[in-house]
Amino acid sequence: MEFSYIVERSVEDANSIKIDNAYRFVAQSAMCVGIKAEDGVLLAAEREFVGSSVATAPHSTYSQKIFQINTNVVCALAGLSSDALALIKKAREMAQIYEEHVNEPMPCTSVATQLCNAKRTYIEAGGLHVFAVSILYMGWDARYGFQLRQSEPFGYHSECMATCVGKNSNVVISMLHEELAGKEKIMLDEAKDVLVKVLDKAAPDFKPENFEVATLQRVGGTTVYELFDVAEEEELVQQT
């Protein structure tokens, strides 16, 4: 019994260390910001350079941070790239199976819940793996409308109006709260203005080409996902 207790304690301690390390890795990773509006949701993700020289690298050498899961759900991820890609693959597989059985897109809350359950399964099964990734989900469904959700490495998710994960997240969240104080509802155009103001203050090297920006809206009864190109990002900054 005593030996069993020691083993269990060792596993718990090892899991705690892995979870702490995952959170620390996310805190040092490129930031992702999300804002929910009445008429859509907005995500922005700082691009991470994956080549040998930032100064000489072409645009294509930046890692992708925003991914579409299905027609109604899009994710932005901060953390370890290999873990992020594994989770995106898992989320898309789950969404495809759901749609084949139910004949409608998997809702945002369900995607977040099932992906968090999968993450916790790895942690609780002897600490096989802790995914060093925080995820922002933007989505729409007929029951809840537009949604912005955030999940952490430990495997829990919550709904937000505006949030940030990755480096400087506490600073960015504080700025978002300041900009949105007293506003229960905003429109997407205002959300874009808030995003640019916050990033301009929080990111020392803020330039449109250093961020991916995407929106999710409803147009004519259809969910429309738009990933901005650099020209559209520059126009967004100039209009603010």
Side-chain angles (χ1 to χ4, degrees):
M1 290 291 292
E2 184 176 350
F3 176 74
S4 175
Y5 172 76
I6 293 173
V7 171
E8 289 175 2
R9 286 291 301 172
S10 297
V11 170
E12 289 177 3
D13 291 343
N15 283 353
S16 296
I17 292 172
K18 289 179 181 179
I19 292 169
D20 289 343
N21 287 341
Y23 275 94
R24 277 196 290 269
F25 192 94
V26 169
Q28 297 169 2
S29 301
M31 75 171 73
C32 298
V33 183
I35 304 175
K36 183 180 73 169
E38 282 294 287
D39 56 340
V41 192
L42 173 67
L43 288 179
E46 186 180 8
R47 292 187 172 103
E48 284 186 313
F49 181 71
V50 294
S52 57
S53 170
V54 175
T56 60
H59 176 75
S60 60
T61 56
Y62 288 91
S63 61
Q64 184 180 355
K65 292 294 180 181
I66 297 179
F67 300 84
Q68 186 172 23
I69 304 304
N70 61 22
T71 55
N72 288 342
V73 181
V74 177
C75 293
L77 300 93
L80 187 62
S81 294
S82 57
D83 282 357
L85 292 175
L87 290 173
I88 289 299
K89 180 181 178 182
K90 180 69 173 177
R92 286 172 170 170
E93 289 173 350
M94 293 189 304
Q96 182 178 354
I97 292 171
Y98 181 97
E99 192 159 351
E100 288 173 354
H101 283 78
V102 182
N103 200 31
E104 64 181 38
M106 191 176 193
C108 182
T109 303
S110 299
V111 173
T113 298
Q114 291 203 25
L115 202 56
C116 284
N117 289 343
K119 290 163 69 175
R120 285 201 305 274
T121 298
Y122 278 90
I123 297 171
E124 293 166 359
L128 293 176
H129 187 70
V130 178
F131 289 91
V133 178
S134 288
I135 306 175
L136 299 185
Y137 306 81
M138 66 175 179
W140 179 90
D141 64 58
R143 182 177 182 184
Y144 295 111
F146 290 110
Q147 299 159 67
L148 172 65
R149 308 197 72 85
Q150 173 180 340
S151 73
E152 300 297 339
F154 192 64
Y156 292 99
H157 67 93
S158 58
E159 188 173 7
C160 314
M161 179 178 177
T163 191
C164 176
V165 293
K167 63 184 178 183
N168 297 329
S169 59
N170 289 338
V171 174
V172 174
I173 289 172
S174 178
M175 290 180 179
L176 288 169
H177 287 174
E178 183 178 339
E179 290 288 339
L180 298 172
K183 300 177 181 178
E184 293 184 4
K185 300 177 182 179
I186 62 170
M187 303 304 287
L188 195 56
D189 284 343
E190 185 178 359
K192 293 175 182 177
D193 291 343
V194 170
L195 173 72
V196 174
K197 289 178 183 178
V198 168
L199 291 182
D200 191 37
K201 295 177 183 178
D205 57 346
F206 172 63
K207 296 178 182 177
E209 62 266 27
N210 291 341
F211 281 81
E212 291 178 66
V213 179
T215 57
L216 195 75
Q217 297 175 272
R218 293 285 289 177
V219 179
T222 301
T223 303
V224 177
Y225 161 59
E226 181 183 6
L227 182 64
F228 289 22
D229 58 29
V230 174
E232 290 172 316
E233 292 172 2
E234 290 175 347
E235 183 180 354
L236 174 64
V237 173
Q238 292 170 0
Q239 289 176 348
T240 303

